[in-house]
Amino acid sequence: QSCHRPAGQRASQEPGSGGLPEGVEYIPTRKKGKNPMKPVGVAWYSLYAGTRLGYLFYQRQVKKARERYPHGHSMPQPYCFPGVKILPIPVLSNNYSYLVIDTGSSQAAVIDPSDPLAVQAAIEEEGVMLEAIFCTHKHWDHSGGNEALCQKHNSCRVYGSALDAIPQLTNAPCSRHSPLADREKVSVGRLTFEAFATPGHTVGHMVYVLDGGPFGSPPCLFSGDLLFLAGCGRPFEGSPETMLASLDVAMGLGEDTLLWPGHEYALECLTFASLLELDNPALEQKLQWAVQQRQEKRSTCPSTLGEEQTYNPFLRTHRPELQEALGLSQGGGEDPDAFRARVLKEVRRRKDLYQAT
């Protein structure tokens, strides 16, 4: 596979047409376009996240995805900088795992290894040594491959939050190998990852930022289910205020930061966003570009946090045009962040209704 450095993504001049990509958020779906969380709510989520039933659903999801997408759901493009290579691995029906390689030492880390066979195939093709697994959260579609990969790679360590029940999470005396705390750093070869606590989707959700400084690259944010291109994860285990604070953590990383999300939801999220802001040129251009990418089954990753601020409604809660579109106004004496959380809650409500139709 060839590599290229990130460049500005240009929209096609002709938007084309086509349906939404397969799948919706987080939980294995039983019918296209249906959200299984909608009819059964909290009870289903508790079963999925906290019992073996969830693991059985995950195994079924993996089996079906391998049959339907033997080469992955999308055609990703590896990104290279001097000394580092980022390889997106399309897994399940819309997830991404990421193999991050220190090309000087051939040491590597993987983020959210959903399907261990797909990840292992990438490791063998690249000829690297897997030293670390970084898990953003406990859900099986992000952590289900941990056990198999740890059995295959004896020196591999699993990192994540102690607040989430992440499979195979290393719990050794040395702090470098312990469950991670907020802002803790881990090195793999010359790669340095910093963990940020971003609760909301789950209580222990974390994102990981690769320091691009040594390689002359921008920072790279591996966002799991906190942040997608034009979207964000559901706050299954947190309030709108909690999710807003976590999104603000991500936005504090800088506009040039590359966003590597946990799912290929771009077309669905951009289409929804276009229904909220009818006159947003940046959104319209990005939607046209995404339509063409998905028609060709190409990945839409990465975007940048600077881009996301121009069209992602979950990051635009401070924008008067979005507030007006939602019919919301700040109350007298209402705290600005409390108002932004109220805006976020309304965007989330409308997104959930959009997905359920």
Side-chain angles (χ1 to χ4, degrees):
Q1 291 178 303
S2 61
C3 279
H4 70 274
R5 296 171 66 97
Q9 295 162 325
R10 298 181 180 275
S12 63
Q13 294 302 308
E14 298 297 331
S17 62
L20 297 178
E22 174 74 11
V24 290
E25 287 184 293
Y26 316 117
I27 309 301
T29 56
R30 289 165 288 182
K31 293 183 181 179
K32 182 177 179 181
K34 295 293 184 180
N35 170 17
M37 292 300 296
K38 188 68 179 179
V40 289
V42 174
W44 170 249
Y45 178 73
S46 298
L47 289 172
Y48 175 77
T51 73
R52 184 166 176 78
L53 181 61
Y55 181 66
L56 296 176
F57 269 102
Y58 154 75
Q59 287 184 313
R60 181 171 177 265
Q61 184 186 32
V62 170
K63 182 176 183 294
K64 291 179 67 175
R66 287 173 181 169
E67 294 171 352
R68 183 167 186 175
Y69 306 109
H71 304 294
H73 58 73
S74 302
M75 292 185 291
Q77 176 67 53
Y79 279 73
C80 295
F81 302 95
V84 64
K85 180 177 183 178
I86 299 173
L87 177 62
I89 306 172
V91 289
L92 306 184
S93 64
N94 53 40
N95 282 71
Y96 285 111
S97 301
Y98 295 97
L99 188 64
V100 186
I101 303 168
D102 171 9
T103 57
S105 67
S106 293
Q107 294 178 290
V110 67
I111 292 88
D112 287 354
S114 306
D115 183 344
L117 291 186
V119 173
Q120 181 60 30
I123 290 169
E124 293 177 2
E125 183 175 345
E126 297 294 328
V128 296
M129 300 171 290
L130 184 64
E131 299 294 337
I133 293 171
F134 292 99
C135 249
T136 59
H137 62 294
K138 64 189 175 186
H139 291 163
W140 291 110
D141 62 328
H142 293 259
S143 64
N146 290 3
E147 182 175 359
L149 289 170
C150 285
Q151 291 174 353
K152 188 81 174 178
H153 302 273
N154 293 332
S155 64
C156 181
R157 300 282 185 174
V158 178
Y159 297 95
S161 171
L163 299 177
D164 264 17
I166 294 173
Q168 304 297 304
L169 182 62
T170 302
N171 192 5
C174 175
S175 62
R176 190 171 75 87
H177 300 147
S178 297
L180 296 176
D182 185 34
R183 307 298 175 98
E184 190 169 351
K185 295 182 180 181
V186 176
S187 294
V188 178
R190 293 178 64 222
L191 308 173
T192 300
F193 295 87
E194 185 171 3
F196 289 82
T198 52
H201 183 66
T202 67
V203 68
H205 194 287
M206 281 188 150
V207 300
Y208 301 98
V209 178
L210 174 66
D211 180 8
F215 313 106
S217 78
C220 292
L221 168 62
F222 299 95
S223 61
D225 281 359
L226 170 69
L227 187 62
F228 311 128
L229 194 153
C232 84
R234 287 198 186 96
F236 287 134
E237 299 180 11
S239 65
E241 290 79 9
T242 300
M243 183 62 83
L244 179 65
S246 292
L247 292 170
D248 284 348
V249 168
M251 293 316 299
L253 297 173
E255 293 188 356
D256 65 334
T257 301
L258 298 178
L259 172 64
W260 301 93
H263 290 269
E264 180 57 73
Y265 290 156
L267 189 52
E268 176 190 328
C269 290
L270 286 163
T271 302
F272 166 73
S274 70
L275 301 177
L276 297 181
E277 292 194 65
L278 302 179
D279 187 21
N280 183 331
L283 174 55
E284 181 180 355
Q285 184 182 48
K286 192 70 175 184
L287 177 57
Q288 291 177 5
W289 174 83
V291 166
Q292 180 171 329
Q293 289 291 104
R294 297 312 297 152
Q295 283 182 332
E296 299 171 0
K297 299 298 182 185
R298 295 185 180 277
S299 171
T300 58
C301 306
S303 66
T304 69
L305 293 184
E307 275 189 279
E308 291 299 310
Q309 291 182 72
T310 67
Y311 53 66
N312 188 329
F314 296 95
L315 301 179
R316 292 171 60 78
T317 55
H318 62 295
R319 299 293 298 185
E321 54 267 44
L322 178 62
Q323 297 164 4
E324 182 178 353
L326 297 173
L328 296 177
S329 58
Q330 186 172 353
E334 185 177 16
D335 179 80
D337 284 342
F339 176 52
R340 290 177 58 217
R342 191 155 59 87
V343 174
L344 183 69
K345 182 178 181 180
E346 178 61 16
V347 175
R348 181 74 263 170
R349 185 187 72 83
R350 295 192 184 200
K351 180 65 163 61
D352 292 344
L353 290 174
Y354 171 79
Q355 288 176 307
T357 58

